[in-house]
Amino acid sequence: HNGGQAELNYSYSGHIGAWRWSVTPGLIWKSARLVDYYYGLDDRDGVDTSLYYEGRSGWYPSLMLQVTKPLAENWLLLASMNWTKLHKGMTDSPLLAENKI
């Protein structure tokens, strides 16, 4: 696709007893070429012309929460949750039904 992506993240972490946690908000930018490669539709896709779509570049937010706790010397409990809200240059594509992951 010859496109590009950039991410800007900040991570803050701490602990409560044996539990360790981190929160990482971020901003992600994807180029028009990258978005069009994955979410665009044109004559190569063999779909009706009314569904043609050309992806656009844009920024969108993300948030990650991780929690860990040691269980034994070689065992660790890890829980990770991620949330991403996709930008309009992606969500306007007929290939997507949702605007968040």
Side-chain angles (χ1 to χ4, degrees):
H1 54 68
N2 294 319
Q5 175 175 316
E7 294 190 32
L8 178 62
N9 297 304
Y10 175 79
S11 188
Y12 180 76
S13 60
H15 60 86
I16 301 172
W19 292 90
R20 294 202 166 277
W21 56 268
S22 67
V23 176
T24 307
L27 282 173
I28 303 165
W29 174 83
K30 290 192 178 193
S31 71
R33 284 188 174 178
L34 188 148
V35 173
D36 190 51
Y37 180 81
Y38 288 104
Y39 304 102
L41 289 169
D42 57 30
D43 58 338
R44 294 173 295 173
D45 298 302
V47 297
D48 186 274
T49 58
S50 66
L51 296 175
Y52 283 11
Y53 179 73
E54 185 175 345
R56 299 180 313 274
S57 67
W59 289 92
Y60 56 96
S62 68
L63 181 64
M64 181 174 64
L65 171 64
Q66 280 192 327
V67 180
T68 61
K69 181 183 181 197
L71 298 176
E73 184 178 344
N74 295 317
W75 288 91
L76 177 75
L77 174 67
L78 168 67
S80 180
M81 295 175 282
N82 295 289
W83 172 86
T84 303
K85 184 174 189 290
L86 304 175
H87 69 80
K88 208 155 167 49
M90 298 162 84
T91 60
D92 284 346
S93 170
L95 297 174
L96 292 176
E98 299 284 327
N99 67 351
K100 51 190 162 293
I101 300 170

